[in-house]
Amino acid sequence: MKNSLSIVFMLLIVTVILTVYSLVSPKLEVAGVEIKKSEIGTFLVGDTTPIYIDAAIEHEVSKKTGIDSSSQRILLIGDSMLEQFRWRLRDYCAENGHEMQSVIWYSSQTEWYGISDTLKYFINKTNPTYIILILGANELFVSNIIAKRTPYVKHILEQIGDIPFIWVGPPNWREDTGINTLIVNNVGTRRFFPSKNLTFKRYADGAHPKPESAFMWMDSVATFIMQKSRYPILLNTPTKKYFGSPNTTILQPWKR
């Protein structure tokens, strides 16, 4: 009986030693021969080998899932319709780790952006990785607009170049004469958000969306960007209200 207890005790000691050895980093050698570790430690506590994920690999994985989760430098630029819209975009940027710069050019049209270097100037100044363009509200009722404004739209796209972008169409208050058709014909459905399909509460001028509508507008654009656009980036809905004014440049109407 005494001998049996001694054997059990010795086996227990050996088991403890092997277990401890299997959990520690240093390896033991006897006469130049490495003592192989047992799998006891892994069995008891699981695999504790640290896993390192390269940031570049993580970025590529996120792209394969359809959404680029990396931090973006967003340039929001266009006419006065983005005035309230920009505040909600500020919240999205704060929530998702993006930076933003907004440019409001009052009364601007595709013609103004198409014959000037204003867009290119702000692209060079802010070096954006993503552009959201809100433009067209001041051209809802231009006659023969496709023939008149197509060259300007094409020059706008030339200035944007290879930068991922979304063109947010004007928030129509009545049927237009072709500005939405002009835009989508040049940028395609996956780079165009048709705002005219939404319902807006507007200021007394009957055109500009009030804050609550502008915020829902931005929510709809964010959903479009993540789920349907050619260039999906991370725009999860803000979980709280953020503070601080959007970084904005104001341009007065062009007097020629």
Side-chain angles (χ1 to χ4, degrees):
M1 182 67 177
K2 186 176 181 180
N3 289 337
S4 298
L5 289 175
S6 298
I7 293 173
V8 171
F9 182 72
M10 290 178 63
L11 290 174
L12 181 60
I13 294 293
V14 171
T15 301
V16 171
I17 292 173
L18 291 175
T19 301
V20 172
Y21 176 54
S22 70
L23 292 171
V24 298
S25 297
K27 297 179 180 180
L28 299 179
E29 293 185 359
V30 177
V33 178
E34 181 183 317
I35 299 177
K36 183 176 176 60
K37 294 188 177 186
S38 73
E39 301 295 326
I40 298 175
T42 301
F43 174 77
L44 293 175
V45 301
D47 187 359
T48 59
T49 304
I51 299 174
Y52 301 97
I53 301 177
D54 184 85
I57 294 176
E58 185 178 40
H59 177 58
E60 288 302 315
V61 169
S62 68
K63 289 179 70 174
K64 289 179 180 178
T65 62
I67 296 177
D68 184 347
S69 61
S70 63
S71 178
Q72 304 290 325
R73 294 184 303 278
I74 299 175
L75 173 61
L76 173 66
I77 188 167
D79 56 37
S80 59
M81 291 301 169
L82 65 84
E83 193 160 40
Q84 298 300 326
F85 185 99
R86 65 193 167 115
W87 291 89
R88 186 60 169 167
L89 178 59
R90 174 211 57 185
D91 293 346
Y92 273 90
C93 288
E95 181 78 19
N96 294 279
H98 306 314
E99 300 174 15
M100 71 166 283
Q101 167 74 46
S102 57
V103 179
I104 302 174
W105 193 358
Y106 285 110
S107 301
S108 60
Q109 307 171 21
T110 57
E111 180 183 8
W112 294 14
Y113 278 101
I115 64 176
S116 70
D117 65 349
T118 302
L119 176 57
K120 194 63 178 177
Y121 170 82
F122 283 103
I123 288 175
N124 292 336
K125 181 179 180 180
T126 63
N127 191 27
T129 59
Y130 207 95
I131 295 174
I132 299 176
L133 180 65
I134 300 181
L135 190 61
N138 295 305
E139 300 164 278
L140 290 185
F141 314 119
V142 174
S143 62
N144 199 23
I145 189 170
I146 293 179
K148 291 179 179 177
R149 302 294 165 90
T150 293
Y152 305 134
V153 170
K154 289 187 179 299
H155 189 228
I156 288 172
L157 300 181
E158 289 172 1
Q159 293 179 70
I160 293 175
D162 296 330
I163 303 171
F165 76 94
I166 295 297
W167 192 318
V168 178
N172 287 39
W173 50 96
R174 58 189 179 126
E175 192 60 41
D176 61 78
T177 57
I179 182 63
N180 283 283
T181 299
L182 167 62
I183 299 169
V184 74
N185 283 351
N186 283 275
V187 307
T189 57
R190 295 181 63 203
R191 296 191 297 187
F192 175 67
F193 180 84
S195 307
K196 69 174 186 177
N197 297 329
L198 303 178
T199 300
F200 296 91
K201 292 182 180 178
R202 305 178 191 266
Y203 284 109
D205 63 5
H208 292 81
K210 289 185 175 180
E212 58 267 35
S213 287
F215 284 21
M216 289 189 289
W217 186 16
M218 175 60 218
D219 291 344
S220 298
V221 171
T223 299
F224 169 79
I225 289 175
M226 288 185 67
Q227 297 182 4
K228 297 182 179 180
S229 76
R230 182 183 297 185
Y231 313 112
I233 60 172
L234 192 64
L235 287 172
N236 288 327
T237 305
T239 56
K240 63 179 182 179
K241 181 173 178 57
Y242 291 87
F243 297 94
S245 299
N247 190 1
T248 305
T249 300
I250 302 293
L251 303 178
Q252 295 303 318
W254 198 3
K255 295 179 180 180
R256 293 184 291 164

